[in-house]
Amino acid sequence: VGLFSRILESNIPRDFPEEVMAQAEALEDEVSPDDFHGRKDLRKIPLITIDGADAKDFDDAVCAIPEKNGFKLFVAIADVSHYVQPDTPLDKEAYNRSTSVYLTDRCIPMLPEKLSNGLCSLRPHVNRLCFVAELNLDNSGKVLSGDFYRAVMRSHARLTYTRVAAALDGKPDEECAKLLPQLQTLQVVAQKLLKRRMSRGSIDLDIPEPFIEFDEKGTPQASSKRPRNNAHRLIEDLMLAANEAVAKEMIDRQRDSMFRV
């Protein structure tokens, strides 16, 4: 597997051109208040990220708030487009790469680390620019309406699938215990969304993720299955709801778009 990764890696550009690195390094290390203009301020909304324990960057954040006749769901993703402007070196290099490439033991990013693991990573307790899908749901989980906008957010916690699953099973750690009502609301919303999705005939592919362990030299030592838990399913259903709402908005506006099926 290590050899296979190296063979793949040899055909994938790893180093960024000088002009791309220069543009990235010229960016501020943190979000400037000047960048807040024209954005909703969601820093008091208790958005959190839930990712794998070994994740280096955090792309999306979620929050669900109970309301009188349903729920308000927030799904936020990093606003990469604020930094990657059309026809700039960053944009052209990202276009050439098309995507980050995830190999068995490493990731070759589409954007320099200052963006991929920095300004475009929704780290906890720091300001970040984002795109938001704000969805209004009834008590059955039906999406009644959606609003989509640019915002500034401040993640309230960086959680992992394992910790969240344990909390939802009644074994929260100290940080998750403080966030338990929020996590339970997210679970309720996700379960309602899943129930509606399954009633439409959706297929639930519950497939474990393969996990390969390496030694210090990068040689594979063992392989195993990384089990999916309730936290994985929770995030998947919340992200699916946001993606469906955005897709519907694009269709309603008769805007051309790419859809992944």
Side-chain angles (χ1 to χ4, degrees):
V1 174
L3 176 62
F4 180 60
S5 287
R6 285 192 287 272
I7 291 171
L8 279 174
E9 197 176 21
S10 67
N11 293 314
I12 299 168
R14 287 172 289 169
D15 299 324
F16 289 93
E18 289 184 8
E19 64 271 20
V20 174
M21 291 302 297
Q23 186 185 351
E25 291 304 319
L27 296 169
E28 297 288 340
D29 291 333
E30 295 298 336
V31 175
S32 166
D34 294 338
D35 297 328
F36 294 3
H37 180 70
R39 296 175 179 271
K40 284 192 178 183
D41 190 342
L42 299 186
R43 286 177 291 176
K44 292 184 178 180
I45 299 293
L47 286 152
I48 59 173
T49 63
I50 305 175
D51 296 273
D54 55 355
K56 299 295 189 297
D57 59 309
F58 318 118
D59 301 326
D60 41 69
V62 294
C63 175
I65 299 174
E67 298 199 314
K68 183 178 180 181
N69 297 311
F71 303 89
K72 187 178 292 291
L73 172 64
F74 296 85
V75 177
I77 62 171
D79 184 2
V80 180
S81 65
H82 177 83
Y83 303 102
V84 184
Q85 295 292 319
D87 296 324
T88 59
L90 276 170
D91 180 48
K92 292 175 181 177
E93 181 66 12
Y95 185 90
N96 287 335
R97 293 182 179 228
S98 300
T99 180
S100 297
V101 179
Y102 293 87
L103 304 177
T104 51
D105 56 347
R106 73 203 70 187
C107 170
I108 301 176
M110 182 176 67
L111 298 170
E113 186 175 359
K114 185 163 185 177
L115 287 168
S116 60
N117 289 356
L119 288 165
C120 295
S121 181
L122 304 180
R123 296 177 177 177
H125 313 303
V126 294
N127 296 332
R128 285 293 181 261
L129 306 181
C130 60
F131 273 112
V132 176
E134 180 182 326
L135 309 182
N136 294 304
L137 285 65
D138 67 13
N139 280 317
S140 73
K142 180 181 179 180
V143 177
L144 302 175
S145 62
D147 193 13
F148 311 95
Y149 50 84
R150 286 180 169 87
V152 56
M153 61 162 284
R154 192 177 181 91
S155 172
H156 287 219
R158 179 277 199 260
L159 303 181
T160 68
Y161 295 120
T162 303
R163 293 172 60 204
V164 170
L168 294 174
D169 286 340
K171 303 171 186 175
D173 59 28
E174 184 177 354
E175 184 179 26
C176 287
K178 297 176 182 178
L179 298 167
L180 193 56
Q182 156 79 333
L183 296 176
Q184 290 170 333
T185 300
L186 287 169
Q187 184 181 44
V188 168
V189 171
Q191 289 174 340
K192 290 178 181 293
L193 290 168
L194 175 62
K195 184 177 179 179
R196 292 189 64 87
R197 183 162 63 82
M198 297 306 290
S199 70
R200 301 197 323 249
S202 178
I203 299 173
D204 186 26
L205 298 175
D206 192 5
I207 301 173
E209 177 188 354
F211 176 71
I212 300 173
E213 299 175 40
F214 296 85
D215 63 16
E216 294 178 355
K217 296 180 180 179
T219 303
Q221 298 297 303
S223 64
S224 59
K225 295 179 180 179
R226 181 178 283 164
R228 277 162 40 89
N229 57 40
N230 289 335
H232 288 91
R233 299 182 182 94
L234 181 156
I235 289 296
E236 286 174 7
D237 279 296
L238 298 182
M239 296 303 296
L240 274 171
N243 281 319
E244 286 184 359
V246 170
K248 181 179 183 300
E249 181 78 4
M250 297 293 282
I251 292 170
D252 290 346
R253 294 191 181 197
Q254 298 183 329
R255 298 289 296 274
D256 291 335
S257 184
M258 293 178 67
F259 293 85
R260 182 173 66 178
V261 179

